[in-house]
Amino acid sequence: MSPIDLDRVLTALDTTTWSPTEKSRARVAANLTLTIYDGHTRNQATPYLEHPLAVTTLLRTEIRVSHPETLLLALLHDALEVSPESAPLLTNYLGTPFTDRLRAMTADHRLEQRPKAAGDETRWRTKQAALPPEDLVVRLADRVHNLRDLAASPNVDRRRRFLQTLRDFHLPLAEAARDFSPHLEAMHSLLHAEYVRHQQEVRP
């Protein structure tokens, strides 16, 4: 597979209808994306950047999100998870409000660069439930792509945990939020379809 370059990142965003100012900001965000995710891999041993690109494309093509800032947020939604030390860089180039949105979408133990401890899961769920609609739709899109990627994961326990969390937390959260926006309504449908698909899988 060829390396991911600036053009591929901008293609995921599809900035053709964006204003000149928005296109300039997109190039800045795309370059930050290439820098921050560089060298990181996912559980499936694939380049980490494949994931935020997929989440961004999912939002744009399946949920019909077109707001530039939401798509830039999707592109960098895991930036502080993989690189908490990148916060000053993000603030310098994209502003404090943008970085604060990313921080609100990132688990505390990731921000603090420590192992997950007792109480962290409850705090993380509370944090996600408090997100505003357009930020929540990004976080739920992240979950959809993770679910679609489970088949490629070698970690059986990870698959079990993801499906349990889908049933116990993300589906009820999406159900409660579905009336807040058309995007969240569409995301609820997508998450439910993933749940049904996994329920119907024939397991050995």
Side-chain angles (χ1 to χ4, degrees):
M1 182 180 295
S2 59
I4 300 171
D5 59 14
L6 181 63
D7 285 343
R8 184 171 167 194
V9 178
L10 293 174
T11 296
L13 292 168
D14 188 10
T15 64
T16 51
T17 63
W18 294 18
S19 72
T21 299
E22 290 165 346
K23 287 180 180 179
S24 176
R25 186 167 169 83
R27 291 185 71 86
V28 170
N31 278 305
L32 286 170
T33 297
L34 291 169
T35 298
I36 292 169
Y37 292 116
D38 183 47
H40 294 278
T41 56
R42 301 187 75 220
N43 178 263
Q44 298 87 337
T46 55
Y48 204 102
L49 186 47
E50 295 282 353
H51 170 62
L53 289 182
V55 171
T56 303
T57 301
L58 184 158
L59 282 169
R60 185 174 54 78
T61 62
E62 298 183 52
I63 306 299
R64 303 301 179 188
V65 172
S66 59
H67 189 257
E69 283 297 290
T70 304
L71 293 174
L72 296 185
L73 195 71
L75 196 61
L76 286 157
H77 75 274
D78 275 343
L80 294 181
E81 176 172 328
V82 304
S83 179
E85 63 276 8
S86 67
L89 184 67
L90 289 159
T91 298
N92 185 53
Y93 285 99
L94 295 176
T96 299
F98 188 89
T99 308
D100 285 346
R101 289 175 77 184
L102 291 178
R103 193 173 284 111
M105 294 172 62
T106 307
D108 291 343
H109 72 285
R110 299 290 191 184
L111 292 171
E112 297 163 11
Q113 303 184 62
R114 60 171 174 78
K116 197 171 185 179
D120 277 335
E121 181 62 27
T122 299
R123 282 189 289 272
W124 175 222
R125 292 188 179 193
T126 301
K127 201 172 183 180
Q128 291 177 84
L131 290 171
E134 287 307 305
D135 297 18
L136 177 59
V137 82
V138 172
R139 181 47 68 192
L140 293 177
D142 164 74
R143 181 56 43 157
V144 169
H145 182 249
N146 283 333
L147 289 165
R148 290 176 176 177
D149 231 12
L150 280 181
S153 176
N155 188 329
V156 175
D157 184 60
R158 181 175 184 268
R159 295 199 295 272
R160 181 192 59 77
R161 286 185 289 104
F162 266 68
L163 294 175
Q164 181 178 335
T165 305
L166 170 64
R167 182 186 67 247
D168 295 345
F169 176 66
H170 289 101
L171 270 177
L173 176 62
E175 172 69 31
R178 63 189 300 182
D179 292 334
F180 291 164
S181 75
H183 293 149
L184 283 169
E185 174 69 28
M187 186 58 70
H188 171 265
S189 297
L190 209 57
L191 270 173
H192 187 265
E194 285 300 315
Y195 176 73
V196 170
R197 181 174 70 83
H198 281 288
Q199 289 293 100
Q200 292 175 344
E201 281 183 348
V202 177
R203 302 183 184 276

